[in-house]
Amino acid sequence: MKRTDIDFPSGGVSCRGWLYDPDRGRPSPCIVMAHGLGGVKELRLDAYAERFAAAGYAVLVFDYRHFGSSDGEPRRVIDVRRQHADWRAAIAFARSLATVDAARVVLWGSSLSGGHVLRLASEDPSLAAAISQVPHVSAWAAMRAGRSGATGRLMRLALLDRLGAMLGRPPRYVAAAGEPGDVALMTAPEAQEYRDLVPPGFAFNPTIAARSVLSLMLYSPGRRAHRIQVPVLMQVALRDQTTPPEPAVAAAARIPRCELRTYPMGHFTPYLGDAFEQFVADQLAFLRRHVPPQT
């Protein structure tokens, strides 16, 4: 197994990431991965990718434009449509590689990107499968989960930042995660666990442009669940305070070929320790059933 740096164009700039090659001597099925709200690939996506590559899969991990190692100004702006375009560009790039079996591309997402993979799977039946971990499926449910006395201040900042963008001003930034009552995108009691994903010594800026709220507040990818034709593994944390479990379970019931797995834990637990081992084991078992590394 080897990992190389890669880049591909999207929206006129370069998205960057890693390609894991299992070095099997023939084209391999490929798993395309990106992070959730404000996350970058160094926040534990490498741990998942290494397990998949060791099992015989090629893995393409990328950062969205405006984030991480990818280009795009201003920095740390979440735009759902642009992130969807980045996913499509990553899929096309993966399919162009000689080491990848273009007919067997799998999408993997977690939290916000768990919603992205559902949305992309609903429009691309040529995908081999999708894995959606603790997914965002309902804007209304997420907003209710994060509701606090600071919601009005966050919306005011979001509107001011959008107006500033129209006037060419730099973004107003807010914390990606904060305590209940803070002006932040995630304020559930578990939100501070976001910091546990940052590796020691890694320079990570945990702020997001406030205008991002306006892109997220109407984003409910679960509405298109019934259109998904490919096999889906949906992994739902029943104590999730950030992306509430009930809408995800309901969305899974509308996906014709969905395998639903539930776990008695919170939103950020699956990235670390024993919970990570359980989640990745279930993902590998799903992959072996639907997209085995050897045909």
Side-chain angles (χ1 to χ4, degrees):
M1 176 182 67
K2 60 182 179 180
R3 189 181 89 179
T4 56
D5 295 335
I6 54 94
D7 65 87
F8 56 88
S10 182
V13 301
S14 290
C15 287
R16 296 188 174 88
W18 301 316
L19 178 67
Y20 290 77
D21 183 357
D23 198 20
R24 298 171 60 233
R26 60 183 181 277
S28 303
C30 183
I31 302 168
V32 180
M33 306 178 63
H35 223 308
L37 190 148
V40 297
K41 59 187 182 299
E42 287 83 2
L43 273 59
R44 294 291 293 171
L45 293 194
D46 50 348
Y48 287 93
E50 288 169 5
R51 293 295 186 88
F52 298 146
Y57 297 90
V59 188
L60 191 156
V61 187
F62 72 96
D63 287 329
Y64 303 110
R65 65 183 112 161
H66 305 289
F67 285 91
S69 59
S70 294
D71 293 340
E73 295 291 341
R75 303 303 294 168
R76 302 186 305 285
V77 175
I78 298 174
D79 184 301
V80 168
R81 290 185 180 180
R82 290 184 179 184
Q83 292 194 352
H84 288 170
D86 295 343
W87 273 97
R88 295 184 189 103
I91 294 165
F93 177 73
R95 286 173 167 160
S96 75
L97 299 172
T99 55
V100 166
D101 182 344
R104 296 200 292 158
V105 171
V106 178
L107 305 188
W108 184 102
S110 186
S111 192
L112 179 60
S113 67
H116 289 344
V117 302
L118 296 177
R119 175 59 184 264
L120 272 292
S122 74
E123 64 185 42
D124 187 356
S126 69
L127 294 167
I131 295 172
S132 183
Q133 175 176 290
V134 293
H136 166 89
V137 298
S138 168
W140 173 244
M143 289 175 65
R144 289 187 65 187
R147 183 175 292 173
S148 69
T151 301
R153 284 182 288 159
L154 178 61
M155 288 303 302
R156 179 175 176 272
L157 282 174
L159 291 169
L160 288 172
D161 191 33
R162 173 62 70 190
L163 177 60
M166 295 170 63
L167 298 174
R169 295 173 182 169
R172 297 169 180 251
Y173 290 99
V174 297
E179 301 286 350
D182 287 350
V183 179
L185 271 73
M186 297 182 288
T187 57
E190 66 182 3
Q192 291 302 322
E193 296 174 24
Y194 186 76
R195 298 175 179 178
D196 296 338
L197 310 186
V198 182
F202 178 67
F204 176 65
N205 190 326
T207 62
I208 305 291
R211 69 190 71 164
S212 304
V213 173
L214 302 179
S215 181
L216 295 168
M217 62 187 299
L218 297 177
Y219 182 48
S220 297
R223 293 174 180 169
R224 299 168 62 100
H226 64 285
R227 302 186 185 184
I228 300 173
Q229 300 179 31
V230 306
V232 173
L233 174 63
M234 179 92 74
Q235 294 176 294
V236 176
L238 295 177
R239 298 173 186 164
D240 195 328
Q241 301 168 339
T242 304
T243 57
E246 293 84 3
V249 171
R254 298 194 301 271
I255 300 172
R257 302 172 66 190
C258 184
E259 297 182 20
L260 174 64
R261 298 286 183 272
T262 59
Y263 308 83
M265 57 188 66
H267 185 75
F268 297 101
T269 312
Y271 296 95
L272 299 164
D274 292 342
F276 164 76
E277 297 293 341
Q278 185 176 3
F279 267 65
V280 78
D282 287 348
Q283 292 167 12
L284 286 168
F286 169 82
L287 289 167
R288 285 191 293 269
R289 286 193 296 274
H290 295 281
V291 195
Q294 296 182 350
T295 57

